[in-house]
Amino acid sequence: MEDDQTMKVSPIKFPAAYSSSSGYNCAFSAGKEEISVSEGDVRILTSGGLRIPVHSSVLASVSSVLENILYRPRKDRKSETIVPILGVPCDAVLAFVRYLYSSRCSEDEMDKYGIHLLTLSHVFSIRQLKQRCTRGLAARLNADTVVDVLQLARLCDAPDLYVKCMKLLSKDFKTVEMTEGWKFLQSHDPMLELEILQFIDDSESRKQRRSRDREAQSLYLQLSEAMECLEHICTEGCTSVGPYDKEPSRKTGPCKKFSTCQGLQLLICHFATCNKRVHGGCSRCKRMWQLFRLHSSICECDQFDSCKVPLCRQFKLKTQLVKKGDDARWRLLVRKVMAAKVMTSLSLPKKPMRKHWGETTRKLQHQKR
């Protein structure tokens, strides 16, 4: 038997006829290094009848399970020690033994025997080989094999591979539904089918929830930007609207957030001249009223008269009279907008430390004067 990839078993040492006689010599080569396993003191018996000579010291050093098998009490101590590895192809067992001696597994062997090697690594508790097989099988997943690999991942306790399979099933379920593996699963393992469908349903729910969260976060960011623009308009002035105590300058150019500022200026002009708002029948005025209220809720001015935004003082006085248990939804909105404001400030590029320290020093000196 010969494998023309990195590791191979010498065909001279393993005859074509799988005989049970002892004394065969075998050699494994890994790259340029040859590992001789001549006259091993243990034989591994495969399903095809092949007896592979190996060293008990190597098996015991790699796997605690194999160590227990080798050193358990036997009735006839003179008899040959045999470790049966049945239920997998002989070539897969040879690839497994090659890994025990060289700690290497070629890509060709992973393509041919990856599923069998994962099973053997789980049965004999070989963690490194199990990790190698998990990564190899995850990289080779497709719609035709995902159901079989998923069942194996459950049996072999490979959570990373299990999650990879579930994600592929959720992403390409319509294609997987047409495969023979899925049809077999429906007939023989309804519990796993239910588990897969539940995972897909949960995945869709998570996507919808993330979408709603993104939309809500976008709204909070827009409101936070509107609060900055409202304060900018009422304090410094923009193109057409400015502070109440001075006329807006005609030379004032658009600000950096002019798209939001322009909409707010139009809304303020409408609010100042609308007649319907007295009777509470104008939706645009209601929106402006809510923006004034939101500003007063997040305004950090210590003194009521220091803020130039209209109605800020009135809303703050009204808030002090409202009971703590009232209007919980509004307070939640205020917290979300303030959190969005903080996140926006953290995402802005920071000033150089020397420049920032100089500006802070000048401000402190000016306050002392």
Side-chain angles (χ1 to χ4, degrees), residues 1 15 17 33 43 49 69 71 81 84 93 99-100 103 119 125 146 198 214 268 293 304 312 332 344 365 367:
M1 301 174 62
E33 300 177 2
R43 299 291 181 270
I69 294 174
Y71 298 118
T81 304
V93 179
Y99 182 86
L100 297 182
S103 298
T119 305
S125 298
V146 65
Q198 183 65 42
R214 283 194 297 268
I268 291 172
R293 182 186 175 188
F304 290 154
C312 182
L332 177 62
T344 304
Q365 291 175 353
Q367 290 177 359

Side-chain angles (χ1 to χ4, degrees), residues 43-290:
R43 299 291 181 270
I44 292 179
L45 177 63
T46 67
S47 298
L50 177 65
R51 291 174 180 246
I52 306 174
V54 292
H55 296 97
S56 59
S57 58
V58 174
L59 300 186
S61 64
V62 174
S63 168
S64 59
V65 177
L66 289 172
E67 183 181 12
N68 293 333
I69 294 174
L70 292 172
Y71 298 118
R72 65 188 176 187
R74 299 193 308 272
K75 294 182 179 178
D76 188 2
R77 293 187 176 274
K78 296 181 180 180
S79 61
E80 185 181 36
T81 304
I82 297 177
V83 179
I85 300 181
L86 310 175
V88 294
C90 297
D91 292 339
V93 179
L94 289 173
F96 177 68
V97 175
R98 275 193 289 269
Y99 182 86
L100 297 182
Y101 275 87
S102 64
S103 298
R104 299 175 188 174
C105 183
S106 67
E107 293 297 325
D108 185 58
E109 288 175 332
M110 188 58 61
D111 289 334
K112 295 178 180 178
Y113 317 118
I115 291 178
H116 305 297
L117 291 175
L118 177 60
T119 305
L120 293 175
S121 66
H122 175 70
V123 170
F124 295 108
S125 298
I126 304 176
R127 184 172 58 86
Q128 291 82 0
L129 178 58
K130 190 173 184 178
Q131 292 175 349
R132 172 73 175 90
C133 293
T134 299
R135 293 193 301 268
L137 291 174
R140 292 164 172 78
L141 278 179
N142 56 60
D144 294 325
T145 62
V146 65
V147 175
D148 296 331
V149 176
L150 175 64
Q151 291 176 307
L152 181 64
R154 292 175 76 227
L155 293 173
C156 294
D157 190 22
D160 293 340
L161 184 59
Y162 173 86
V163 173
K164 288 278 188 181
C165 294
M166 282 294 196
K167 287 183 177 180
L168 179 60
L169 277 164
S170 178
K171 182 180 178 181
D172 200 11
F173 183 67
K174 291 184 178 179
T175 305
V176 176
E177 265 188 318
M178 307 302 295
T179 61
E180 293 296 328
W182 178 258
K183 295 176 182 177
F184 181 85
L185 177 69
Q186 286 182 305
S187 303
H188 297 83
D189 197 347
M191 293 302 296
L192 180 56
E193 179 190 4
L194 181 62
E195 187 176 336
I196 293 171
L197 295 176
Q198 183 65 42
F199 181 89
I200 294 173
D201 184 63
D202 293 342
S203 179
E204 291 296 325
S205 299
R206 286 193 296 271
K207 288 181 181 178
Q208 295 176 3
R209 186 166 58 252
R210 284 195 296 268
S211 178
R212 290 195 299 267
D213 291 343
R214 283 194 297 268
E215 292 176 0
Q217 188 64 24
S218 176
L219 175 62
Y220 300 141
L221 289 172
Q222 291 175 12
L223 287 173
S224 174
E225 185 175 335
M227 293 300 99
E228 293 179 8
C229 291
L230 181 62
E231 187 175 353
H232 156 68
I233 292 170
C234 297
T235 304
E236 303 170 0
C238 200
T239 54
S240 59
V241 180
Y244 63 88
D245 55 351
K246 62 179 181 179
E247 293 292 332
S249 175
R250 295 181 179 179
K251 297 181 180 180
T252 304
C255 61
K256 296 180 180 180
K257 301 177 181 178
F258 183 67
S259 58
T260 305
C261 247
Q262 186 181 25
L264 269 176
Q265 290 180 78
L266 294 174
L267 203 58
I268 291 172
C269 292
H270 170 81
F271 182 80
T273 58
C274 182
N275 296 321
K276 292 182 180 180
R277 68 183 174 89
V278 179
H279 306 288
C282 181
S283 59
R284 296 176 66 185
C285 289
K286 287 181 179 178
R287 192 183 312 161
M288 193 67 236
W289 195 270
Q290 290 175 345

Side-chain angles (χ1 to χ4, degrees), residues 296-314:
S296 69
S297 299
I298 66 175
C299 182
E300 298 178 353
C301 294
D302 297 332
Q303 299 178 358
F304 290 154
D305 297 333
S306 62
C307 182
K308 294 185 177 182
V309 177
L311 304 175
C312 182
R313 179 175 180 272
Q314 288 81 349

